[in-house]
């Protein structure tokens, strides 16, 4: 008889933060140097938050920018095994289109080493996760 591993279903929310620029504009990416990763800002809901509220809070914290929420643009899903306890996790991340209303990327939080604006065409090839690139293309 085969034993079933526990599965935890997780949900996060984030944003595609766009501004006008040449061609298709610019998008904010968040980067880490070890391991080297470039990704969209996103995070986990706090108690009582809606997904949209989570997206606004997390994007603001991770980028240092004040943001305005736009429309929902899509969801990505992936699986991973949590290293601390071996639990298989199925994660869904909901993304919203956003625009910056103030702030400064130099005020980003500790989770990332660098946060900066990229031309959309460059961001599509810079993003570490191709499913996030597909979300940017929808924006």
């Amino acid at each position: 008889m085969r034993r079933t591993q526990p599965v935890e279903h997780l949900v996060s929310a984030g944003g595609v933060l766009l501004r006008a620029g040449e061609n298709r504009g610019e998008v904010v990416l968040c980067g880490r140097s070890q391991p080297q990763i470039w990704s969209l800002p996103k995070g986990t809901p706090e108690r009582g938050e809606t997904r949209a509220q989570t997206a606004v809070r997390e994007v603001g914290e991770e980028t240092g920018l004040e943001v305005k929420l736009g429309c929902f643009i899509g969801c990505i899903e992936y699986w991973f095994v949590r290293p601390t306890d071996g639990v298989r996790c199925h994660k869904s991340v909901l993304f919203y289109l956003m625009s910056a209303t103030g702030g400064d990327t130099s005020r980003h939080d500790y989770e990332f080493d660098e946060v900066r604006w990229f031309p959309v065409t460059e961001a599509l090839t810079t993003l570490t996760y191709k499913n996030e690139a597909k979300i940017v293309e929808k924006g």
Side-chain angles (χ1 to χ4, degrees):
M1 187 161 135
R2 197 166 129 181
R3 199 168 130 190
T4 306
Q5 289 289 95
V7 173
E8 190 170 328
H9 297 278
L10 307 170
V11 177
S12 290
V16 176
L17 191 52
L18 291 175
R19 73 177 179 189
E22 291 185 29
N23 299 322
R24 293 177 59 190
E26 296 178 319
V27 63
V28 167
L29 300 184
C30 301
R32 280 191 206 120
S33 55
Q34 291 298 323
Q36 186 172 2
I37 293 173
W38 284 100
S39 65
L40 293 171
K42 59 192 168 294
T44 306
E46 292 180 351
R47 175 178 242 107
E49 275 186 329
T50 66
R51 304 296 199 273
Q53 289 169 332
T54 298
V56 168
R57 179 184 52 77
E58 285 287 344
V59 171
E61 288 173 1
E62 292 186 354
T63 67
L65 297 167
E66 297 162 14
V67 299
K68 179 180 175 187
L69 184 69
C71 63
F72 173 75
I73 56 173
C75 178
I76 61 172
E77 297 181 49
Y78 55 93
W79 289 86
F80 64 95
V81 174
R82 194 167 40 219
T84 55
D85 58 9
V87 171
R88 289 180 56 226
C89 297
H90 175 248
K91 188 161 191 175
S92 300
V93 185
L94 291 74
F95 285 97
Y96 296 83
L97 190 60
M98 297 183 178
S99 57
T101 59
D104 190 301
T105 57
S106 67
R107 297 185 357 215
H108 67 85
D109 71 7
Y110 67 92
E111 289 186 54
F112 294 99
D113 300 317
E114 183 179 5
V115 174
R116 66 180 163 106
W117 293 95
F118 284 80
V120 170
T121 51
E122 184 181 342
L124 293 174
T125 59
T126 301
L127 280 159
T128 301
Y129 308 109
K130 297 310 165 203
N131 54 0
E132 288 189 2
K134 289 180 182 176
I135 290 292
V136 170
E137 288 175 335
K138 290 181 178 184

